[in-house]
Amino acid sequence: MVDAQALVADLRAEQEDLAALLDGLDAPDWARPTPAPGWTIADQIAHLAFFDQSALTALTDADGFARIIEAAVADPEGYVDTAAAPLAALPPDTLLAEWRAASAALRSALAAAPAGTRVPWFGPPMSVPSKATARLMETWAHGQDVVDALGTTRQPTERLRHIVHIALRARPYSYFARGLPMPEAAVRVELTAPEGGLWRMGPEEARDVVRGDAEQFCLVLTRRRHVADTSLTAHGPAAREWLRVGQTYAGGPGEGRQPGQFSGRTGSGRD
């Protein structure tokens, strides 16, 4: 059985690590461009604040979340950018405080949700553990954009296991988002964990396998690195294609990163 409380604790750790990095920034740093075209550091944090607050609304206010869905349906192409724009325009200290408050309130609501709760979302409803995992993945991925904008590094943690898990679960959606047929072949992963262990996930009988560093895998599947800039290996056509088209998040695939953009560099600076 999934330990929802442990997942919420990991979500808190991921959010607090990013908040600690942001605490040390000067106001001009918040206007730095990130690798996501057109997004500054402020835009990244506004995005997290808005969707943490939206997740809280989904848990606690059905009518309020229905209004969010109505707005998203009315502007399917621009909603992700326009919805968070007022937050991005706030002074950095205020924006950081808004995100801290939204993320803390969301964690409390997730921790208090009765067993079996289904959280409505922009796609199918999600369980509480799935929602916590999704918010952790989003925090980590957008945190990577901040790290890259600052030209710094961060140490990977065992929390990456959650992102590997969601990547495997989201594999069918990766094809759906591109209008591609889902291959019949299953894929498994064998990844070196940050603390040195080996994570084996996916069907044991799968002939297609992705092997390599867990952090690099997460960077590729969140589309924060091009696979050509990593040492990941893919055995089998389905595994190779997954590294090319895979994503961990809902919505369109976006531009991703280009080959050579981060050549020889992972989020932690390791080869």
Side-chain angles (χ1 to χ4, degrees):
M1 185 174 181
V2 178
D3 186 343
Q5 300 303 316
L7 275 168
V8 172
D10 281 351
L11 172 60
R12 176 175 182 169
E14 197 65 47
Q15 291 170 330
E16 288 183 345
D17 278 359
L18 178 55
L21 175 62
L22 296 165
D23 271 333
L25 299 186
D26 295 327
D29 287 328
W30 286 76
R32 289 195 189 199
T34 69
W39 282 35
T40 65
I41 289 177
D43 291 318
Q44 299 284 352
I45 304 310
H47 177 88
L48 289 176
F50 179 81
F51 283 99
D52 280 349
Q53 180 61 51
S54 295
L56 174 64
T57 302
L59 267 168
T60 61
D61 181 0
D63 291 341
F65 189 68
R67 290 191 290 271
I68 291 174
I69 291 295
E70 288 176 6
V73 170
D75 184 19
E77 297 298 323
Y79 184 74
V80 168
D81 291 320
T82 60
L87 286 165
L90 294 172
D93 288 350
T94 306
L95 172 55
L96 181 54
E98 289 283 339
W99 177 51
R100 284 184 187 273
S103 62
L106 172 60
R107 293 193 305 267
S108 295
L110 289 169
T117 295
R118 303 293 292 177
V119 186
W121 200 235
F122 297 90
M126 306 170 74
S127 68
V128 167
S130 291
K131 174 53 64 180
T133 303
R135 295 315 303 154
L136 186 154
M137 177 275 297
E138 285 273 328
T139 304
W140 184 85
H142 290 283
Q144 185 64 46
D145 294 328
V146 173
V147 167
D148 288 336
L150 296 172
T152 187
T153 61
R154 60 179 175 177
Q155 287 300 118
T157 73
E158 295 291 295
R159 297 190 296 271
L160 291 178
R161 187 181 186 94
H162 302 308
I163 301 173
V164 176
H165 174 77
I166 205 172
L168 284 161
R169 292 284 300 274
R171 182 173 168 244
Y173 180 82
S174 302
Y175 288 85
F176 172 79
R178 290 162 178 76
L180 297 173
M182 173 71 179
E184 292 184 7
V187 180
R188 60 187 171 91
V189 298
E190 297 177 359
L191 303 171
T192 303
E195 294 185 2
L198 186 65
W199 292 341
R200 294 184 177 92
M201 300 187 202
E204 288 291 332
E205 70 277 8
R207 294 178 178 271
D208 286 62
V209 187
V210 174
R211 295 187 175 97
D213 178 77
E215 182 189 28
Q216 290 187 3
F217 176 83
C218 292
L219 287 166
V220 169
L221 269 292
T222 57
R223 299 182 62 78
R224 265 56 186 183
R225 293 291 186 272
H226 193 281
V227 65
D229 290 343
T230 74
S231 58
L232 295 173
T233 61
H235 303 270
R240 288 191 291 272
E241 185 178 46
W242 185 31
L243 291 182
R244 180 175 63 84
V245 305
Q247 66 185 68
T248 55
Y249 50 85
E255 295 183 22
R257 306 293 176 258
Q258 301 304 309
Q261 188 173 353
F262 294 98
S263 181
R265 177 182 167 192
T266 67
S268 64
R270 300 177 304 178
D271 292 333

